[in-house]
């Protein structure tokens, strides 16, 4: 196997398909996991996909990447924490692996508060507005950067 990618998802992404389908589409969280797995398999890579509504848990997973050195890159949809969490931005530099930020919607075409990201300055790239297909693009690019 090649690269090993950790895909992290923040709050409310477990509600995909239920929460605002006009914004996020009607795909489920299981569909996101499937997109990530297919993208990784196409590149002979491994992927692990996780979601949490608890910021402390998310930070712990990022810290584990630094301690355990099991993953070669992180793909992250921080959801609302994108716009609020300095702690998340600080944590993402600890593992010293490439980080790809992904968003299902085009956050720049939405409310003004969504235009700022604390994650973008520490990310190798940002993919936004392509629905859940963006996860496939992000995993593919993460493999390239690993």
């Amino acid at each position: 196997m090649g690269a090993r990618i950790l895909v992290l998802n923040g709050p409310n992404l477990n509600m995909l398909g239920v929460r605002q389908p006009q914004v996020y589409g009607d795909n489920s969280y299981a569909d996101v996991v499937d997109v990530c797995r297919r993208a990784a398999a196409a590149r002979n890579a491994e992927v692990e996909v996780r979601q949490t509504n608890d910021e402390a848990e998310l930070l712990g997973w990022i810290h584990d990447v630094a301690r355990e050195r099991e993953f070669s890159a992180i793909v992250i949809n921080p959801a609302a924490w994108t716009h609020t969490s300095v702690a998340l931005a600080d944590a993402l530099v600890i593992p010293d692996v490439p980080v790809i930020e992904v968003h299902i919607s085009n956050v720049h075409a939405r409310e003004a508060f969504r235009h700022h990201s604390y994650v973008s300055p520490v990310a190798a790239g940002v993919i936004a507005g392509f629905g859940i297909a963006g996860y496939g693009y992000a995993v593919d690019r993460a493999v390239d950067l690993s």
Side-chain angles (χ1 to χ4, degrees):
M1 249 324 146
R4 191 147 190 259
I5 311 302
L6 179 61
V7 178
L8 298 175
N9 291 283
N12 301 314
L13 286 162
N14 59 309
M15 298 304 293
L16 286 176
V18 175
R19 178 186 177 216
Q20 294 178 285
Q22 71 279 12
V23 174
Y24 300 105
D26 58 1
N27 296 105
S28 69
Y29 180 73
D31 295 329
V32 168
V33 173
D34 186 55
V35 165
C36 293
R37 288 182 177 156
R38 284 188 282 120
R43 296 296 304 275
N44 197 34
E46 290 183 56
V47 68
E48 187 170 322
V49 185
R50 301 177 188 170
Q51 187 277 330
T52 185
N53 293 313
D54 180 342
E55 187 175 10
E57 183 173 40
L58 182 71
L59 297 175
W61 290 338
I62 294 166
H63 296 167
D64 289 345
V65 172
R67 280 194 284 271
E68 298 167 10
R69 295 292 191 202
E70 293 181 20
F71 296 98
S72 54
I74 296 172
V75 169
I76 185 166
N77 183 341
W81 295 323
T82 304
H83 323 292
T84 63
S85 184
V86 173
L88 177 58
D90 287 348
L92 284 168
V93 299
I94 297 169
D96 196 28
V97 298
V99 173
I100 306 292
E101 180 182 354
V102 64
H103 297 282
I104 294 169
S105 69
N106 179 355
V107 292
H108 302 288
R110 297 183 61 198
E111 303 93 338
F113 75 87
R114 296 185 194 275
H115 299 177
H116 178 265
S117 170
Y118 284 102
V119 174
S120 294
V122 301
V126 179
I127 298 168
F130 293 101
I132 67 169
Y135 282 90
Y137 308 146
V139 168
D140 188 60
R141 187 66 186 131
V143 171
D144 288 340
L145 295 174
S146 294

